[in-house]
Amino acid sequence: LLIELASLHPTTDMVLPFLTRLVDPANPVAIRREAAEGFDHHHDPRSVEILMRVASSDTVSEVRAEAAETIGEVQTPQSIPALTDLATNSPDPAVRREAAEAFADQPPALALPAIEALIATSDDDEVLVEAVEAVGEIEDPQAVALLVRTVTGHPNQTAQREAVETLGDVESPDAVDALVRIV
């Protein structure tokens, strides 16, 4: 609770050094995980840099995954390339999944092209599922179009099925029309 309260302080220059000390691998897992989550209140390129280091090097998968997830909540231009790198290149499947899912928290104009590129290039079924689900969480007309393109043009059946299921979860007349056309 103390870490969460401290992370809410609006002075980023005070909070980042505090959280950085707490994500040190010498600290217990619960402290590192909570500290990684605390960066979500500080939309600063330094937050992304620190979280990338944690997502790439912490000794515990759940801490690495929390760092990846939190990058999605940090609204900076560095977040999209960081998420793309993690979703594509991390050796940890949990980090890849969390990074793919975290695109949903980014601005649609930046997130949708990045997710589309990830869907087009990934051969990891779990990443594809999370990326497609992320599209469904984005409230933008282009999201439905991307889901339809995934259903009709993606070579991976897992991606196609997930896109159909996600279309069914999207509450919009365009999604219903798309499902009718698909059927």
Side-chain angles (χ1 to χ4, degrees):
L1 183 59
L2 175 63
I3 296 169
E4 183 177 346
L5 289 173
S7 71
L8 292 170
H9 194 281
T11 308
T12 298
D13 288 337
M14 290 176 60
V15 176
L16 290 188
F18 171 72
L19 293 174
T20 300
R21 284 191 301 276
L22 295 178
V23 295
D24 185 278
N27 288 314
V29 170
I31 300 244
R32 297 194 321 263
R33 187 181 58 243
E34 189 66 37
E37 187 176 351
F39 284 95
D40 68 344
H41 303 292
H42 299 279
H43 306 288
D44 185 292
R46 295 172 294 174
S47 293
V48 175
E49 179 183 323
I50 295 161
L51 289 165
M52 277 296 287
R53 187 178 70 243
V54 172
S56 300
S57 66
D58 196 276
T59 58
V60 176
S61 180
E62 76 179 272
V63 176
R64 292 190 303 266
E66 183 64 48
E69 178 183 350
T70 303
I71 289 170
E73 297 169 14
V74 177
Q75 305 294 312
T76 69
Q78 294 79 9
S79 296
I80 295 285
L83 291 172
T84 300
D85 181 34
L86 291 172
T88 304
N89 300 316
S90 176
D92 183 342
V95 169
R96 291 193 306 270
R97 286 189 309 269
E98 289 296 334
E101 180 182 3
F103 280 110
D105 294 321
Q106 290 291 303
L110 300 174
L112 287 171
I115 297 171
E116 185 166 20
L118 181 61
I119 290 171
T121 59
S122 181
D123 59 359
D124 181 328
D125 282 355
E126 292 179 353
V127 167
L128 286 169
V129 166
E130 293 299 333
V132 170
E133 287 178 358
V135 174
E137 293 178 31
I138 296 174
E139 294 183 22
D140 186 280
Q142 292 305 309
V144 171
L146 175 53
L147 290 170
V148 170
R149 285 193 302 276
T150 303
V151 171
T152 59
H154 201 282
N156 182 301
Q157 288 186 351
T158 300
Q160 292 172 352
R161 280 192 300 270
E162 189 61 39
V164 169
E165 183 178 323
T166 301
L167 273 168
D169 293 335
V170 173
E171 295 182 21
S172 96
D174 290 341
V176 172
D177 292 343
L179 286 169
V180 169
R181 284 192 311 273
I182 291 166
V183 170

